[in-house]
Amino acid sequence: MLHVDPGSASAVPPAPDVLAGGGAETTPFTISTIFTHATLNSWLAVGLVLAAGCYLYGVHRLRVRGHHWPPLRTVLFLGPGLGGIAAVTLTGLGAYDTTLLSVHMVQHMVLSMVAPIFLALGAPVTLALRTLGKAPRRRLLAVLHSRVVKVVTFPLFAYALFVVNPFVLYFSGIYRWTLENPLGHELVHAHFILTGCLFFWPLVGLDPLPGRWPYPARALLMVLSVPFHTVLGLTVMQSTTLFGGDWYPSLALGWADPWSDQKAAGGILWAGGEFVSVTMLGVLVVQWVRQSEREARRVDRELDRQEARERAAGTSV
């Protein structure tokens, strides 16, 4: 990061080569631009359509067989899951993610902390296991129980990636590189989604994963992630240097001040991180209570069967 004098930020002339490299938008950002600057010309759009199509085909196959699939899972996976990714990458938010740091932070939050939660609650792996043929199902189970999956889904490993990666991105030259390199920018999007899925899937996901922790340990891990987002958000807000070096001043936007926008970006990261963490704790508590209720019902049924067997034995005697 380079130090830029706040007073002279607006006087920096545009850099045409930089703008061409990153494709930044320079017209004012408004609510209407979220819709008018939408585009489907992206590999991510293709991936989202394929993911939605595969999921819906799996649900259709189950229904044809006469099996039930909870509609809520479908809604969560397609709506806030895939839909959340589309909302921040294929709309005007995606068009302005190299123009305003605050817009980028909204993307960061949704791609790494919001969409992955709902993708996990959609249980796509469980759906695949119930619809695939024998051979593909065996291969998928082999992958799920492989050593690589055991390592990357181990909660502490995923936690370390989830917490450390933002600091590495924003406090190195990587972030500036992603602003100038469209491919690198897209890779960061994919990286956000992947690390978010690795972190949240073992915590709230319904799919079978090896080495899943009990609910108290999951809740503790979620609580431990809160301070890191607070520290990162406050650091961004209080930083005396601009993230991305002279990238944002070089855009010479008369309608946006890079310093004020950076403070807003830090606030989004701070408040958004705490909101998602508290919401996640609520989800974990609900799942924990439901599991306890299911376990209580299972014990009751077993006791009833045992009592029935004892009565039957007494009657026969």
Side-chain angles (χ1 to χ4, degrees):
M1 295 184 293
L2 298 176
H3 179 78
V4 181
D5 182 4
S8 61
S10 60
V12 179
D17 56 333
V18 171
L19 295 182
E25 294 284 348
T26 56
T27 55
F29 177 78
T30 62
I31 297 298
S32 62
T33 56
I34 296 178
F35 306 97
T36 59
H37 286 66
T39 177
L40 296 179
N41 186 22
S42 168
W43 64 267
L44 191 56
V46 176
L48 293 174
V49 171
L50 288 176
C54 290
Y55 192 96
L56 289 174
Y57 178 68
V59 174
H60 171 70
R61 288 195 61 182
L62 281 182
R63 290 180 178 175
V64 169
R65 296 176 184 175
H67 298 160
H68 174 71
W69 182 256
L72 181 59
R73 294 184 184 180
T74 304
V75 172
L76 294 177
F77 186 84
L78 298 180
L82 296 181
I85 296 173
V88 297
T89 57
L90 304 179
T91 66
L93 290 174
Y96 279 81
D97 60 359
T98 58
T99 302
L100 298 170
L101 182 61
S102 56
V103 170
H104 166 80
M105 285 303 179
V106 171
Q107 271 192 337
H108 180 154
M109 296 301 303
V110 173
L111 295 180
S112 65
M113 293 193 69
V114 177
I117 296 174
F118 295 103
L119 293 177
L121 292 175
V125 176
T126 301
L127 178 62
L129 290 172
R130 293 183 61 183
T131 55
L132 291 174
K134 292 183 178 180
R137 187 186 301 118
R138 282 197 300 268
R139 287 193 287 269
L140 179 55
L141 286 172
V143 171
L144 290 175
H145 293 91
S146 66
R147 182 171 298 179
V148 173
V149 172
K150 288 180 180 179
V151 170
V152 298
T153 59
F154 182 63
L156 289 180
F157 178 84
Y159 172 78
L161 283 179
F162 186 74
V163 168
V164 172
N165 280 348
F167 288 91
V168 174
L169 173 64
Y170 297 120
F171 295 95
S172 68
I174 298 177
Y175 181 64
R176 173 58 186 258
W177 174 75
T178 64
L179 293 172
E180 298 176 348
N181 189 297
L183 177 59
H185 193 69
E186 295 294 324
L187 289 176
V188 167
H189 289 167
H191 182 71
F192 280 153
I193 298 170
L194 178 60
T195 55
C197 287
L198 288 177
F199 180 66
F200 287 107
W201 224 284
L203 296 184
V204 297
L206 306 176
D207 291 320
L209 291 175
R212 192 184 294 274
W213 282 8
Y215 280 104
R218 299 187 214 176
L220 176 61
L221 198 63
M222 196 66 243
V223 170
L224 292 177
S225 70
V226 175
F228 290 96
H229 288 99
T230 301
V231 170
L232 181 58
L234 290 175
T235 302
V236 173
M237 294 177 68
Q238 298 174 359
S239 176
T240 57
T241 58
L242 284 175
F243 286 75
D246 63 350
W247 169 268
Y248 294 110
S250 72
L251 302 180
L253 304 176
W255 48 272
D257 172 42
W259 293 96
S260 299
D261 185 62
Q262 181 162 300
K263 286 183 172 60
I268 290 170
L269 189 59
W270 178 17
E274 292 197 351
F275 175 78
V276 172
S277 297
V278 171
T279 303
M280 265 290 303
L281 286 173
V283 172
L284 285 172
V285 169
V286 171
Q287 290 183 338
W288 189 0
V289 170
R290 289 181 176 177
Q291 184 198 48
S292 299
E293 291 175 347
R294 288 194 298 269
E295 181 63 19
R297 288 194 295 269
R298 187 192 66 80
V299 172
D300 288 342
R301 287 194 298 269
E302 179 60 31
L303 291 175
D304 290 341
R305 286 192 293 267
Q306 182 178 349
E307 184 179 350
R309 287 193 298 268
E310 292 175 352
R311 285 200 304 266
T315 302
S316 62
V317 173

